[in-house]
mmCIF file of all heavy atoms in Angstrom:
data_model
loop_
_atom_site.group_PDB
_atom_site.id
_atom_site.type_symbol
_atom_site.label_atom_id
_atom_site.label_comp_id
_atom_site.label_asym_id
_atom_site.label_seq_id
_atom_site.Cartn_x
_atom_site.Cartn_y
_atom_site.Cartn_z
ATOM 1 N N VAL I 23 19.192 -154.794 -5.415
ATOM 2 C CA VAL I 23 18.055 -154.978 -6.316
ATOM 3 C C VAL I 23 16.751 -154.744 -5.555
ATOM 4 O O VAL I 23 15.831 -154.087 -6.062
ATOM 5 C CB VAL I 23 18.075 -156.382 -6.947
ATOM 6 C CG1 VAL I 23 16.725 -156.713 -7.568
ATOM 7 C CG2 VAL I 23 19.168 -156.480 -8.005
ATOM 8 N N ALA I 24 16.661 -155.270 -4.329
ATOM 9 C CA ALA I 24 15.455 -155.066 -3.516
ATOM 10 C C ALA I 24 15.202 -153.579 -3.305
ATOM 11 O O ALA I 24 14.055 -153.104 -3.380
ATOM 12 C CB ALA I 24 15.594 -155.791 -2.179
ATOM 13 N N ARG I 25 16.267 -152.833 -3.063
ATOM 14 C CA ARG I 25 16.128 -151.381 -2.856
ATOM 15 C C ARG I 25 15.661 -150.697 -4.128
ATOM 16 O O ARG I 25 14.772 -149.828 -4.096
ATOM 17 C CB ARG I 25 17.456 -150.809 -2.389
ATOM 18 C CG ARG I 25 17.401 -149.333 -2.033
ATOM 19 C CD ARG I 25 18.703 -148.885 -1.406
ATOM 20 N NE ARG I 25 18.640 -147.483 -1.018
ATOM 21 C CZ ARG I 25 19.607 -146.844 -0.369
ATOM 22 N NH1 ARG I 25 20.707 -147.494 -0.016
ATOM 23 N NH2 ARG I 25 19.475 -145.572 -0.055
ATOM 24 N N ALA I 26 16.243 -151.083 -5.262
ATOM 25 C CA ALA I 26 15.845 -150.497 -6.551
ATOM 26 C C ALA I 26 14.386 -150.794 -6.849
ATOM 27 O O ALA I 26 13.646 -149.943 -7.354
ATOM 28 C CB ALA I 26 16.740 -151.039 -7.669
ATOM 29 N N MET I 27 13.960 -152.011 -6.521
ATOM 30 C CA MET I 27 12.572 -152.387 -6.745
ATOM 31 C C MET I 27 11.615 -151.538 -5.918
ATOM 32 O O MET I 27 10.623 -151.014 -6.432
ATOM 33 C CB MET I 27 12.368 -153.870 -6.405
ATOM 34 C CG MET I 27 13.026 -154.847 -7.368
ATOM 35 S SD MET I 27 12.942 -156.550 -6.756
ATOM 36 C CE MET I 27 11.149 -156.781 -6.613
ATOM 37 N N LYS I 28 11.914 -151.403 -4.629
ATOM 38 C CA LYS I 28 11.008 -150.650 -3.760
ATOM 39 C C LYS I 28 10.956 -149.180 -4.163
ATOM 40 O O LYS I 28 9.909 -148.533 -4.045
ATOM 41 C CB LYS I 28 11.423 -150.797 -2.304
ATOM 42 C CG LYS I 28 10.377 -150.237 -1.342
ATOM 43 C CD LYS I 28 10.575 -150.697 0.079
ATOM 44 C CE LYS I 28 9.438 -150.191 0.969
ATOM 45 N NZ LYS I 28 9.572 -150.671 2.365
ATOM 46 N N ASN I 29 12.057 -148.629 -4.655
ATOM 47 C CA ASN I 29 12.058 -147.258 -5.164
ATOM 48 C C ASN I 29 10.985 -147.052 -6.228
ATOM 49 O O ASN I 29 10.408 -145.973 -6.346
ATOM 50 C CB ASN I 29 13.417 -146.913 -5.785
ATOM 51 C CG ASN I 29 14.508 -146.652 -4.765
ATOM 52 O OD1 ASN I 29 15.682 -146.834 -5.063
ATOM 53 N ND2 ASN I 29 14.150 -146.245 -3.555
ATOM 54 N N MET I 30 10.732 -148.101 -7.017
ATOM 55 C CA MET I 30 9.812 -147.997 -8.147
ATOM 56 C C MET I 30 8.508 -148.780 -7.929
ATOM 57 O O MET I 30 7.816 -149.123 -8.877
ATOM 58 C CB MET I 30 10.508 -148.479 -9.433
ATOM 59 C CG MET I 30 11.720 -147.647 -9.798
ATOM 60 S SD MET I 30 11.266 -145.913 -10.122
ATOM 61 C CE MET I 30 12.719 -145.070 -9.486
ATOM 62 N N CYS I 31 8.203 -149.075 -6.657
ATOM 63 C CA CYS I 31 6.924 -149.706 -6.282
ATOM 64 C C CYS I 31 6.766 -151.137 -6.783
ATOM 65 O O CYS I 31 5.653 -151.595 -7.040
ATOM 66 C CB CYS I 31 5.741 -148.869 -6.755
ATOM 67 S SG CYS I 31 5.684 -147.216 -6.033
ATOM 68 N N LEU I 32 7.879 -151.863 -6.918
ATOM 69 C CA LEU I 32 7.831 -153.289 -7.252
ATOM 70 C C LEU I 32 8.099 -154.097 -5.987
ATOM 71 O O LEU I 32 8.875 -153.677 -5.131
ATOM 72 C CB LEU I 32 8.854 -153.638 -8.327
ATOM 73 C CG LEU I 32 8.685 -152.933 -9.674
ATOM 74 C CD1 LEU I 32 9.804 -153.326 -10.621
ATOM 75 C CD2 LEU I 32 7.326 -153.252 -10.297
ATOM 76 N N SER I 33 7.492 -155.251 -5.886
ATOM 77 C CA SER I 33 7.620 -156.000 -4.631
ATOM 78 C C SER I 33 7.897 -157.493 -4.801
ATOM 79 O O SER I 33 8.298 -158.151 -3.857
ATOM 80 C CB SER I 33 6.336 -155.847 -3.808
ATOM 81 O OG SER I 33 5.217 -156.332 -4.529
ATOM 82 N N GLN I 34 7.696 -158.037 -5.993
ATOM 83 C CA GLN I 34 7.854 -159.488 -6.182
ATOM 84 C C GLN I 34 9.263 -159.820 -6.652
ATOM 85 O O GLN I 34 9.615 -159.573 -7.804
ATOM 86 C CB GLN I 34 6.832 -160.012 -7.187
ATOM 87 C CG GLN I 34 5.403 -159.956 -6.689
ATOM 88 C CD GLN I 34 4.498 -160.849 -7.517
ATOM 89 O OE1 GLN I 34 4.766 -162.025 -7.709
ATOM 90 N NE2 GLN I 34 3.419 -160.284 -8.026
ATOM 91 N N LEU I 35 10.056 -160.409 -5.765
ATOM 92 C CA LEU I 35 11.438 -160.786 -6.073
ATOM 93 C C LEU I 35 11.566 -162.302 -6.046
ATOM 94 O O LEU I 35 11.234 -162.949 -5.043
ATOM 95 C CB LEU I 35 12.394 -160.151 -5.067
ATOM 96 C CG LEU I 35 13.876 -160.518 -5.187
ATOM 97 C CD1 LEU I 35 14.435 -160.112 -6.555
ATOM 98 C CD2 LEU I 35 14.688 -159.858 -4.068
ATOM 99 N N TYR I 36 12.043 -162.863 -7.145
ATOM 100 C CA TYR I 36 12.266 -164.309 -7.259
ATOM 101 C C TYR I 36 13.767 -164.548 -7.460
ATOM 102 O O TYR I 36 14.392 -163.910 -8.314
ATOM 103 C CB TYR I 36 11.493 -164.890 -8.437
ATOM 104 C CG TYR I 36 10.012 -165.079 -8.173
ATOM 105 C CD1 TYR I 36 9.176 -163.987 -7.926
ATOM 106 C CD2 TYR I 36 9.440 -166.347 -8.179
ATOM 107 C CE1 TYR I 36 7.819 -164.149 -7.680
ATOM 108 C CE2 TYR I 36 8.083 -166.524 -7.936
ATOM 109 C CZ TYR I 36 7.279 -165.428 -7.691
ATOM 110 O OH TYR I 36 5.932 -165.604 -7.447
ATOM 111 N N LEU I 37 14.320 -165.468 -6.691
ATOM 112 C CA LEU I 37 15.755 -165.768 -6.743
ATOM 113 C C LEU I 37 15.950 -167.215 -7.173
ATOM 114 O O LEU I 37 15.493 -168.140 -6.494
ATOM 115 C CB LEU I 37 16.392 -165.539 -5.371
ATOM 116 C CG LEU I 37 16.178 -164.157 -4.745
ATOM 117 C CD1 LEU I 37 16.714 -164.127 -3.325
ATOM 118 C CD2 LEU I 37 16.831 -163.072 -5.596
ATOM 119 N N VAL I 38 16.641 -167.399 -8.293
ATOM 120 C CA VAL I 38 16.904 -168.746 -8.800
ATOM 121 C C VAL I 38 18.308 -169.173 -8.376
ATOM 122 O O VAL I 38 19.301 -168.624 -8.842
ATOM 123 C CB VAL I 38 16.772 -168.806 -10.332
ATOM 124 C CG1 VAL I 38 17.064 -170.222 -10.844
ATOM 125 C CG2 VAL I 38 15.398 -168.358 -10.770
ATOM 126 N N GLU I 39 18.372 -170.105 -7.455
ATOM 127 C CA GLU I 39 19.640 -170.650 -6.957
ATOM 128 C C GLU I 39 20.692 -169.578 -6.678
ATOM 129 O O GLU I 39 21.773 -169.587 -7.282
ATOM 130 C CB GLU I 39 20.202 -171.682 -7.946
ATOM 131 C CG GLU I 39 19.381 -172.954 -8.034
ATOM 132 C CD GLU I 39 20.101 -174.052 -8.796
ATOM 133 O OE1 GLU I 39 20.692 -173.765 -9.860
ATOM 134 O OE2 GLU I 39 20.088 -175.198 -8.323
ATOM 135 N N PRO I 40 20.410 -168.634 -5.803
ATOM 136 C CA PRO I 40 21.437 -167.638 -5.453
ATOM 137 C C PRO I 40 22.614 -168.314 -4.764
ATOM 138 O O PRO I 40 22.433 -169.299 -4.034
ATOM 139 C CB PRO I 40 20.686 -166.695 -4.505
ATOM 140 C CG PRO I 40 19.602 -167.537 -3.916
ATOM 141 C CD PRO I 40 19.179 -168.490 -4.999
ATOM 142 N N LYS I 41 23.820 -167.811 -4.989
ATOM 143 C CA LYS I 41 25.026 -168.439 -4.420
ATOM 144 C C LYS I 41 25.080 -168.296 -2.903
ATOM 145 O O LYS I 41 25.455 -169.232 -2.198
ATOM 146 C CB LYS I 41 26.280 -167.819 -5.049
ATOM 147 C CG LYS I 41 26.366 -167.958 -6.554
ATOM 148 C CD LYS I 41 26.435 -169.402 -6.998
ATOM 149 C CE LYS I 41 26.608 -169.495 -8.517
ATOM 150 N NZ LYS I 41 26.619 -170.892 -8.989
ATOM 151 N N LYS I 42 24.704 -167.114 -2.410
ATOM 152 C CA LYS I 42 24.753 -166.855 -0.963
ATOM 153 C C LYS I 42 23.501 -166.074 -0.556
ATOM 154 O O LYS I 42 23.434 -164.859 -0.720
ATOM 155 C CB LYS I 42 26.009 -166.052 -0.586
ATOM 156 C CG LYS I 42 27.320 -166.754 -0.862
ATOM 157 C CD LYS I 42 28.498 -165.847 -0.499
ATOM 158 C CE LYS I 42 29.828 -166.524 -0.802
ATOM 159 N NZ LYS I 42 30.967 -165.620 -0.461
ATOM 160 N N TYR I 43 22.535 -166.806 -0.043
ATOM 161 C CA TYR I 43 21.304 -166.143 0.406
ATOM 162 C C TYR I 43 20.505 -167.115 1.252
ATOM 163 O O TYR I 43 20.403 -168.281 0.883
ATOM 164 C CB TYR I 43 20.472 -165.677 -0.782
ATOM 165 C CG TYR I 43 19.291 -164.842 -0.355
ATOM 166 C CD1 TYR I 43 19.442 -163.492 -0.071
ATOM 167 C CD2 TYR I 43 18.031 -165.418 -0.187
ATOM 168 C CE1 TYR I 43 18.368 -162.721 0.361
ATOM 169 C CE2 TYR I 43 16.959 -164.661 0.247
ATOM 170 C CZ TYR I 43 17.132 -163.323 0.521
ATOM 171 O OH TYR I 43 16.082 -162.567 0.956
ATOM 172 N N PRO I 44 19.977 -166.627 2.386
ATOM 173 C CA PRO I 44 20.056 -165.269 2.940
ATOM 174 C C PRO I 44 21.463 -164.931 3.437
ATOM 175 O O PRO I 44 22.267 -165.825 3.716
ATOM 176 C CB PRO I 44 19.047 -165.294 4.087
ATOM 177 C CG PRO I 44 18.947 -166.727 4.472
ATOM 178 C CD PRO I 44 19.148 -167.523 3.228
ATOM 179 N N HIS I 45 21.721 -163.643 3.550
ATOM 180 C CA HIS I 45 23.058 -163.186 3.925
ATOM 181 C C HIS I 45 22.945 -161.784 4.523
ATOM 182 O O HIS I 45 22.117 -160.978 4.090
ATOM 183 C CB HIS I 45 23.964 -163.165 2.689
ATOM 184 C CG HIS I 45 25.420 -163.067 3.002
ATOM 185 N ND1 HIS I 45 26.035 -161.865 3.316
ATOM 186 C CD2 HIS I 45 26.394 -164.024 3.048
ATOM 187 C CE1 HIS I 45 27.322 -162.091 3.518
ATOM 188 N NE2 HIS I 45 27.565 -163.398 3.367
ATOM 189 N N ASP I 46 23.796 -161.500 5.518
ATOM 190 C CA ASP I 46 23.750 -160.191 6.188
ATOM 191 C C ASP I 46 23.989 -159.044 5.215
ATOM 192 O O ASP I 46 23.407 -157.953 5.359
ATOM 193 C CB ASP I 46 24.792 -160.136 7.315
ATOM 194 C CG ASP I 46 24.405 -161.013 8.497
ATOM 195 O OD1 ASP I 46 23.219 -161.394 8.580
ATOM 196 O OD2 ASP I 46 25.285 -161.315 9.328
ATOM 197 N N GLU I 47 24.867 -159.258 4.219
ATOM 198 C CA GLU I 47 25.171 -158.182 3.279
ATOM 199 C C GLU I 47 23.947 -157.826 2.439
ATOM 200 O O GLU I 47 23.736 -156.648 2.110
ATOM 201 C CB GLU I 47 26.336 -158.568 2.365
ATOM 202 C CG GLU I 47 26.815 -157.400 1.500
ATOM 203 C CD GLU I 47 28.060 -157.716 0.707
ATOM 204 O OE1 GLU I 47 28.646 -158.810 0.916
ATOM 205 O OE2 GLU I 47 28.447 -156.878 -0.126
ATOM 206 N N ALA I 48 23.141 -158.823 2.104
ATOM 207 C CA ALA I 48 21.913 -158.545 1.360
ATOM 208 C C ALA I 48 20.981 -157.675 2.186
ATOM 209 O O ALA I 48 20.399 -156.705 1.689
ATOM 210 C CB ALA I 48 21.221 -159.857 0.974
ATOM 211 N N THR I 49 20.861 -158.007 3.458
ATOM 212 C CA THR I 49 19.993 -157.235 4.354
ATOM 213 C C THR I 49 20.493 -155.807 4.505
ATOM 214 O O THR I 49 19.717 -154.844 4.465
ATOM 215 C CB THR I 49 19.922 -157.913 5.729
ATOM 216 O OG1 THR I 49 19.456 -159.257 5.566
ATOM 217 C CG2 THR I 49 18.997 -157.168 6.664
ATOM 218 N N TRP I 50 21.809 -155.670 4.651
ATOM 219 C CA TRP I 50 22.402 -154.330 4.832
ATOM 220 C C TRP I 50 22.222 -153.474 3.589
ATOM 221 O O TRP I 50 21.843 -152.303 3.671
ATOM 222 C CB TRP I 50 23.884 -154.483 5.164
ATOM 223 C CG TRP I 50 24.607 -153.183 5.247
ATOM 224 C CD1 TRP I 50 24.550 -152.262 6.250
ATOM 225 C CD2 TRP I 50 25.510 -152.650 4.257
ATOM 226 N NE1 TRP I 50 25.353 -151.189 5.961
ATOM 227 C CE2 TRP I 50 25.955 -151.398 4.750
ATOM 228 C CE3 TRP I 50 25.989 -153.103 3.044
ATOM 229 C CZ2 TRP I 50 26.848 -150.600 4.033
ATOM 230 C CZ3 TRP I 50 26.874 -152.319 2.322
ATOM 231 C CH2 TRP I 50 27.300 -151.073 2.824
ATOM 232 N N ARG I 51 22.452 -154.058 2.411
ATOM 233 C CA ARG I 51 22.347 -153.298 1.161
ATOM 234 C C ARG I 51 20.895 -152.947 0.822
ATOM 235 O O ARG I 51 20.640 -151.989 0.099
ATOM 236 C CB ARG I 51 22.963 -154.098 0.002
ATOM 237 C CG ARG I 51 24.473 -154.203 0.034
ATOM 238 C CD ARG I 51 25.168 -152.894 -0.290
ATOM 239 N NE ARG I 51 24.835 -152.382 -1.606
ATOM 240 C CZ ARG I 51 25.401 -152.785 -2.742
ATOM 241 N NH1 ARG I 51 26.349 -153.725 -2.711
ATOM 242 N NH2 ARG I 51 25.039 -152.268 -3.896
ATOM 243 N N ALA I 52 19.957 -153.714 1.347
ATOM 244 C CA ALA I 52 18.551 -153.439 1.057
ATOM 245 C C ALA I 52 18.059 -152.189 1.767
ATOM 246 O O ALA I 52 17.046 -151.610 1.371
ATOM 247 C CB ALA I 52 17.689 -154.636 1.446
ATOM 248 N N ALA I 53 18.764 -151.769 2.823
ATOM 249 C CA ALA I 53 18.358 -150.580 3.598
ATOM 250 C C ALA I 53 16.924 -150.737 4.082
ATOM 251 O O ALA I 53 16.615 -151.666 4.805
ATOM 252 C CB ALA I 53 18.554 -149.319 2.768
ATOM 253 N N SER I 54 16.041 -149.866 3.666
ATOM 254 C CA SER I 54 14.648 -149.913 4.135
ATOM 255 C C SER I 54 13.746 -150.779 3.258
ATOM 256 O O SER I 54 12.521 -150.708 3.364
ATOM 257 C CB SER I 54 14.080 -148.492 4.190
ATOM 258 O OG SER I 54 14.792 -147.707 5.138
ATOM 259 N N ALA I 55 14.351 -151.587 2.400
ATOM 260 C CA ALA I 55 13.567 -152.484 1.536
ATOM 261 C C ALA I 55 13.619 -153.914 2.054
ATOM 262 O O ALA I 55 13.497 -154.867 1.282
ATOM 263 C CB ALA I 55 14.080 -152.417 0.099
ATOM 264 N N GLY I 56 13.768 -154.048 3.362
ATOM 265 C CA GLY I 56 13.832 -155.381 3.957
ATOM 266 C C GLY I 56 12.578 -156.198 3.723
ATOM 267 O O GLY I 56 12.631 -157.436 3.652
ATOM 268 N N ASP I 57 11.428 -155.526 3.574
ATOM 269 C CA ASP I 57 10.182 -156.256 3.335
ATOM 270 C C ASP I 57 10.197 -156.973 1.984
ATOM 271 O O ASP I 57 9.613 -158.047 1.835
ATOM 272 C CB ASP I 57 8.983 -155.316 3.420
ATOM 273 C CG ASP I 57 9.113 -154.107 2.500
ATOM 274 O OD1 ASP I 57 10.248 -153.646 2.274
ATOM 275 O OD2 ASP I 57 8.072 -153.620 2.012
ATOM 276 N N VAL I 58 10.900 -156.388 1.003
ATOM 277 C CA VAL I 58 11.016 -157.045 -0.302
ATOM 278 C C VAL I 58 11.840 -158.322 -0.159
ATOM 279 O O VAL I 58 11.494 -159.374 -0.719
ATOM 280 C CB VAL I 58 11.645 -156.103 -1.345
ATOM 281 C CG1 VAL I 58 11.851 -156.822 -2.677
ATOM 282 C CG2 VAL I 58 10.777 -154.866 -1.541
ATOM 283 N N LEU I 59 12.930 -158.252 0.610
ATOM 284 C CA LEU I 59 13.745 -159.442 0.855
ATOM 285 C C LEU I 59 12.967 -160.496 1.635
ATOM 286 O O LEU I 59 13.049 -161.691 1.345
ATOM 287 C CB LEU I 59 15.015 -159.073 1.626
ATOM 288 C CG LEU I 59 16.136 -158.362 0.880
ATOM 289 C CD1 LEU I 59 17.331 -158.169 1.807
ATOM 290 C CD2 LEU I 59 16.558 -159.146 -0.353
#
């Protein structure tokens, strides 16, 4: 989701009670959108 957001110039991500976060897989899947995370 962070990657999809950055593709379209969105930056504000709010997470309501995520099951597993922070997590290495989230960081890996974000690719170059780590700043959004």
Side-chain angles (χ1 to χ4, degrees):
V23 164
R25 185 172 182 176
M27 290 171 59
K28 190 164 184 178
N29 285 154
M30 298 298 145
C31 299
L32 299 177
S33 59
Q34 292 197 53
L35 176 60
Y36 283 64
L37 305 173
V38 179
E39 292 191 316
K41 301 298 183 182
K42 297 178 181 179
Y43 187 82
H45 195 280
D46 289 343
E47 188 173 353
T49 303
W50 175 75
R51 288 289 300 278
S54 297
D57 54 328
V58 176
L59 285 184

